[in-house]
Amino acid sequence: MLSNHLNNGIETAKLVWSRIPHSEEGQLEGVGLLDSKGASSAESLDYEVIENYAYREEQAQRGKLYVWYYVAVKWLFALLIGIGTGLAAVFINLSVENFAGWKFSLTFSIIQKSYFAGFVIYVLFNLALVFSSVYIVTHFAPAAAGSGIPEIKGYLNGVDIPGILLFRTLVGKIFGSIGSVGGGLALGKEGPLVHTGACIASLFGQGGSTKYHLNSRWLQVFKSDRDRRDLVTCGCAAGVAAAFRAPVGGVLFALEEVTSWWRSQLMWRVFFTSAIVAVVVRTAMGWCKSGKCGHFGSGGFVIWDISDGQEDYSFSELLPMAVIGVIGGVLGALFNQLTLYITQWRRNYLHKKGNRVKIIEACLISVITSAISFGLPLLRKCSPCPETDTESGIECPRPPGMYGNYVNFYCGTNKEYNDLATIFFNTQDDAIRNLFSAKTIHEYSAQSLLTFLVMFYTLAVMTFGAAIPAGQFVPGIMIGSTYGRLVGMFVVKFYNKPNIEEGTYALLGAASFLGGSMRMTVSLCVIMVEITNNLKLLPLIMLVLLISKAVGDAFNEGFYEVQARLRGIPLLESRPKYQMRTMTAREACGNQKVVSFPRVAKVADVVSILQSNKHNGFPVIDHTRNGETLVIGLVLRSHLLVLLQSKVDFQHSPFPCDPRGVSRSFRHNLSEFVKPVSSKGISIEDISLSSDDLEMYIDLAPFLNPSPYVVPEDMSLTKVYNLFRQLGLRHIFVVPRASRVIGLLTRKDLLIEDNEDSANVELQSTSVRMYHQGKRIFTRNTDVQAPFLNGLLIQDHAAD
């Protein structure tokens, strides 16, 4: 009977293995965006408002009631994003805690009878969870691999990366994180939670998922990339707030780390979303305290209360604290460089061999991690329990399968514990709480901490980049708290002061490593204060963060910037490169030939131009009666594809349908021109046109953006860069110097009272007049348009 069950199990395993795809054909690679030729497959987003005829017609039809409705929907979506992200975080944490509880309880019960049997059960349990995670990612949601923060940062920077915000990516991120974190790998769930919040926000922004029939028309309110960007920003902040129970830290993380564009109204909605997340998470924790959540313990949600830690510090302690900052900067920069090299090797050699190799790699890492965490504690001798302190509430040894300090792992007597097993045989949240804990001066030996530091650092470097959801916040805290506690042990022995707590130094070490790796300052400082619930440590955290960031910046870029560059995401950093100071906009354009359309274009010419290049924006030119060339606007590739597909605007005449530039009848809805989120949209290959269609014409005037951003050709590239990034642009026209000026706008011209009628407002701008020998030649009366273009600056040179 047993042999039959065994054979059936083997056959089932073979069947599942045979169904695993061998290659990446037809799937997004997930951990990289570079194609075989090295070009980026990402495109830029249209954050600029296209003020064409359709947009102006829609704005004219909107009343104040619709504006209030529009704002109310934004706040409603902010509420729903907070609730959704909070519930997702609760589900992930409960699942991870219960899987870990079952694993440790089963292992500790078997290990009393047979060490080898306990080892096998422990390895198989972890292997099953990791296999489920990597299978979901490779087979269902390739974009769910990694932390997701570099991709979301790129999206908020203006780069549209296919697949990162889809519904299947959300599902893969949630269930993949449960498997990878519950499987005991050296990674965290905090980065994936940020990606999860962004996916939830994006789904609300586009009205759900059309592919899986989970969409609703009343949710499809937002029709621009700009509105969706605001929602994704709320989702990022909600993810951090849910991961760390740090709502203020979530707001600052979104402001400092992931967004490139910010405004005060967005600040309010982001803060509101983070507050909702905090309420949802706290409510769930209160419900779980009644014992209804299985093995869920106090470590389920990251908060390490060390309010009973070190009360004060002396001036002499600042030197070892500064040393912690230096160590964090060096180890953080080294971590960034090592993960870069290993991820490059994976992309170039390992992951090209297909999904089966990715699954084998993740399973092999799981087995190695399980063997190390199970075998290393045997190398350490058990230590006798210290005298019980009734006030501390710390029990030695702790009951099997429960969270807390002092783990009895294969010790001879009941009054002994294994300090190395206290770190390994815990969830990472509980292990960090043990390292941060106060009144446990002699819990760990220096040899155990050093052993764990070397092994966990190596495992973290080796694990990141595998085809599984992986965050680096908690592993970074683990690494930093380990060497921080080592420095704390040295300070306690050197200064011989009883009020010095090793746990305080562990906290500073955690902050220093995160600062040295991720290069965050303000948001990270607030997050560390919120999760430790000790405001007195704020000056010390600020000190080590500043030092570690300065040291890390001397070696390389931050972790997310390195990973974004590796994935081929063309990020525009906050500061332009130094060499841009000596370059002009004309020099940046080079010798490129600007591809433009006439106002009335032949369909065959439009198709030919779209097939011959990959540009996403084209100038539209027209001729005056005097034969002068005027740039009348910018038309997007996506809009041209909509016109070609619908065919309703084709005309037989090669002349404008309305000489004033406005179509008499607009046959489109504004929503037709909206490209789906995280999708390529319409392609020129998808459009079928007959020979008669190709002989028709299109008047582009109603569909172009008549007011694109324009810069003079001799403007410094630094100034152009700042304008481009701060306004979230996709295209900028480079034109010669204008021949004349019609006026100057100052601050007072923009201060219009709310009670004034817009039709009767007289702008008090300073008119520019030219005088010749005391006589006025001209005054402001007509618009100035650029006569011709020198070039077109684009964000992504491969596919703008």
Side-chain angles (χ1 to χ4, degrees):
M1 182 68 70
L2 181 61
S3 62
N4 291 337
H5 285 295
L6 183 61
N7 291 331
N8 291 337
I10 294 175
E11 293 298 326
T12 303
K14 289 182 178 179
L15 179 62
V16 172
W17 184 259
S18 64
R19 292 179 178 177
I20 298 176
H22 292 261
S23 65
E24 300 293 327
E25 296 179 1
Q27 289 188 351
L28 180 70
E29 187 160 339
V31 293
L33 298 168
L34 298 178
D35 57 23
S36 59
K37 296 181 181 180
S40 175
S41 62
E43 292 184 357
S44 298
L45 290 161
D46 294 303
Y47 286 156
E48 181 186 358
V49 176
I50 307 299
E51 296 180 344
N52 55 19
Y53 179 78
Y55 175 81
R56 294 179 178 179
E57 187 178 63
E58 184 181 83
Q59 292 295 317
Q61 294 175 355
R62 291 181 177 181
K64 288 187 177 181
L65 182 61
Y66 184 86
V67 174
W68 282 104
Y69 167 75
Y70 194 73
V71 174
V73 171
K74 284 188 176 182
W75 284 95
L76 175 61
F77 280 3
L79 172 66
L80 296 178
I81 292 169
I83 295 175
T85 307
L87 292 178
V90 170
F91 176 72
I92 293 174
N93 278 280
L94 290 183
S95 302
V96 170
E97 284 286 304
N98 279 282
F99 278 127
W102 295 331
K103 175 177 63 179
F104 292 136
S105 298
L106 184 61
T107 303
F108 273 81
S109 61
I110 296 177
I111 201 174
Q112 305 300 327
K113 302 175 183 178
S114 172
Y115 178 84
F116 181 75
F119 171 73
V120 172
I121 294 298
Y122 183 78
V123 171
L124 291 179
F125 204 110
N126 286 334
L127 185 61
L129 289 173
V130 174
F131 176 80
S132 67
S133 175
V134 67
Y135 187 86
I136 289 173
V137 170
T138 56
H139 198 64
F140 180 69
S147 70
I149 294 181
E151 289 82 0
I152 300 302
K153 185 174 181 179
Y155 179 87
L156 295 177
N157 192 256
V159 183
D160 188 14
I161 304 169
I164 64 168
L165 297 175
L166 297 179
F167 176 74
R168 63 176 179 176
T169 303
L170 171 63
V171 175
K173 210 73 177 183
I174 292 176
F175 289 96
S177 298
I178 294 173
S180 60
V181 178
L185 297 181
L187 46 83
K189 55 185 178 293
E190 285 67 32
L193 266 176
V194 175
H195 195 177
T196 298
C199 289
I200 293 174
S202 178
L203 288 174
F204 279 116
Q206 61 181 327
S209 175
T210 306
K211 181 179 180 180
Y212 297 98
H213 306 288
L214 298 174
N215 58 332
S216 175
R217 286 188 176 274
W218 73 272
L219 290 176
Q220 297 174 357
V221 179
F222 302 112
K223 301 180 177 65
S224 67
D225 290 332
R226 173 174 293 191
D227 291 330
R228 293 169 179 172
R229 172 186 61 183
D230 293 349
L231 293 178
V232 171
T233 304
C234 293
C236 291
V240 176
F244 293 103
R245 287 177 58 193
V248 180
V251 176
L252 294 177
F253 175 83
L255 173 61
E256 178 185 6
E257 186 63 23
V258 295
T259 60
S260 304
W261 188 84
W262 197 265
R263 68 176 187 272
S264 58
Q265 297 94 329
L266 181 59
M267 173 77 79
W268 278 103
R269 284 197 295 274
V270 170
F271 185 77
F272 174 70
T273 306
S274 300
I276 295 299
V277 171
V279 172
V280 172
V281 171
R282 184 168 293 275
T283 303
M285 289 191 64
W287 184 70
C288 288
K289 286 182 179 178
S290 59
K292 300 178 182 179
C293 299
H295 286 272
F296 176 81
S298 64
F301 289 95
V302 179
I303 181 168
W304 303 293
D305 191 344
I306 58 171
S307 56
D308 57 346
Q310 187 170 333
E311 295 291 336
D312 198 6
Y313 53 91
S314 61
F315 182 79
S316 57
E317 292 182 64
L318 295 180
L319 178 59
M321 292 175 182
V323 171
I324 290 178
V326 174
I327 296 174
V330 173
L331 291 182
L334 179 62
F335 183 85
N336 295 354
Q337 205 64 33
L338 291 176
T339 53
L340 174 63
Y341 290 151
I342 293 180
T343 306
Q344 284 179 330
W345 175 79
R346 276 191 172 103
R347 287 175 47 83
N348 297 332
Y349 300 102
L350 196 61
H351 287 178
K352 285 186 175 181
K353 298 180 180 179
N355 282 338
R356 180 170 293 184
V357 174
K358 293 181 181 180
I359 294 176
I360 294 174
E361 177 200 21
C363 293
L364 184 62
I365 293 175
S366 174
V367 172
I368 294 174
T369 304
S370 301
I372 290 176
S373 60
F374 204 94
L376 276 183
L378 291 179
L379 303 178
R380 295 294 306 163
K381 293 182 179 180
C382 292
S383 305
C385 287
E387 296 181 2
T388 304
D389 187 359
T390 57
E391 296 181 358
S392 65
I394 299 176
E395 186 178 358
C396 182
R398 75 172 193 192
M402 300 295 290
Y403 61 88
N405 303 69
Y406 303 110
V407 174
N408 186 323
F409 179 78
Y410 214 59
C411 295
T413 64
N414 292 332
K415 287 297 180 181
E416 292 183 334
Y417 75 98
N418 190 310
D419 59 348
L420 198 53
T422 301
I423 308 177
F424 275 118
F425 275 86
N426 266 309
T427 62
Q428 292 183 8
D429 296 347
D430 288 330
I432 294 171
R433 182 176 291 103
N434 295 343
L435 291 170
F436 283 0
S437 60
K439 301 180 177 62
T440 55
I441 296 180
H442 303 291
E443 181 177 2
Y444 302 100
S445 64
Q447 294 86 348
S448 295
L449 290 178
L450 189 59
T451 301
F452 176 79
L453 174 62
V454 174
M455 295 309 302
F456 193 83
Y457 192 97
T458 305
L459 289 174
V461 171
M462 180 177 63
T463 305
F464 189 85
I468 49 178
Q472 284 303 310
F473 270 102
V474 169
I477 295 175
M478 287 279 289
I479 294 170
S481 58
T482 304
Y483 69 74
R485 186 140 188 147
L486 276 170
V487 175
M489 293 172 63
F490 169 78
V491 173
V492 169
K493 183 176 292 186
F494 184 81
Y495 289 104
N496 195 21
K497 292 183 179 181
N499 65 323
I500 295 178
E501 287 287 354
E502 298 173 0
T504 301
Y505 284 82
L507 167 66
L508 298 179
S512 69
F513 186 84
L514 292 179
S517 176
M518 300 179 183
R519 313 293 160 78
M520 296 186 297
T521 52
V522 179
S523 59
L524 184 57
C525 183
V526 173
I527 290 174
M528 296 303 294
V529 171
E530 286 188 282
I531 63 180
T532 55
N533 196 24
N534 194 335
L535 194 59
K536 296 179 180 179
L537 301 177
L538 179 61
L540 303 181
I541 296 175
M542 294 172 65
L543 172 67
V544 297
L545 280 176
L546 290 173
I547 295 176
S548 62
K549 184 182 185 305
V551 173
D553 285 337
F555 293 97
N556 52 28
E557 294 179 302
F559 180 77
Y560 296 130
E561 287 75 14
V562 170
Q563 294 298 321
R565 188 175 69 250
L566 178 64
R567 286 161 168 77
I569 302 174
L571 284 180
L572 291 179
E573 298 298 333
S574 58
R575 291 188 301 177
K577 299 297 183 181
Y578 181 80
Q579 53 268 32
M580 290 185 179
R581 298 172 182 268
T582 58
M583 297 178 63
T584 63
R586 175 65 180 269
E587 294 173 350
C589 294
N591 297 322
Q592 61 174 279
K593 184 179 180 181
V594 179
V595 181
S596 59
F597 287 105
R599 174 182 167 175
V600 181
K602 192 175 183 179
V603 174
D605 296 336
V606 174
V607 173
S608 175
I609 290 177
L610 294 181
Q611 289 176 340
S612 62
N613 63 77
K614 296 182 179 180
H615 298 316
N616 283 282
F618 302 92
V620 179
I621 60 176
D622 198 5
H623 297 278
T624 64
R625 295 179 179 178
N626 299 328
E628 297 179 358
T629 301
L630 293 178
V631 179
I632 62 173
L634 169 74
V635 63
L636 296 179
R637 182 189 192 93
S638 58
H639 291 188
L640 291 173
L641 293 174
V642 172
L643 299 179
L644 293 177
Q645 188 180 53
S646 65
K647 304 180 184 180
V648 297
D649 297 285
F650 290 1
Q651 62 184 39
H652 294 281
S653 172
F655 300 102
C657 57
D658 187 347
R660 293 177 299 175
V662 178
S663 178
R664 295 177 181 176
S665 60
F666 196 79
R667 307 178 181 91
H668 297 274
N669 190 353
L670 192 60
S671 59
E672 296 180 34
F673 297 95
V674 178
K675 186 175 72 69
V677 176
S678 200
S679 172
K680 288 291 186 180
I682 308 174
S683 174
I684 186 63
E685 288 76 16
D686 302 330
I687 299 175
S688 177
L689 297 172
S690 65
S691 57
D692 293 336
D693 293 333
L694 295 176
E695 296 299 322
M696 305 285 279
Y697 294 87
I698 306 177
D699 186 0
L700 301 178
F703 312 102
L704 54 82
N705 181 8
S707 54
Y709 285 90
V710 177
V711 297
E713 59 180 340
D714 56 350
M715 178 182 285
S716 70
L717 195 57
T718 298
K719 198 172 181 179
V720 176
Y721 183 98
N722 292 330
L723 177 69
F724 199 101
R725 186 181 187 276
Q726 292 172 9
L727 295 179
L729 302 181
R730 189 176 188 180
H731 308 93
I732 288 184
F733 285 169
V734 180
V735 300
R737 279 286 179 180
S739 59
R740 56 198 177 100
V741 181
I742 64 172
L744 292 176
L745 288 178
T746 61
R747 182 184 298 269
K748 64 180 180 180
D749 301 313
L750 305 177
L751 299 177
I752 302 175
E753 298 295 335
D754 293 335
N755 56 0
E756 294 187 43
D757 187 1
S758 59
N760 298 324
V761 173
E762 181 180 356
L763 295 180
Q764 302 296 322
S765 58
T766 305
S767 298
V768 177
R769 302 176 176 88
M770 286 191 66
Y771 288 87
H772 180 66
Q773 296 179 354
K775 296 182 179 180
R776 189 173 67 184
I777 299 177
F778 73 86
T779 58
R780 178 183 59 183
N781 52 12
T782 58
D783 294 336
V784 175
Q785 290 184 315
F788 60 90
L789 274 82
N790 278 341
L792 180 67
L793 290 184
I794 57 176
Q795 179 169 337
D796 186 351
H797 294 286
D800 54 315

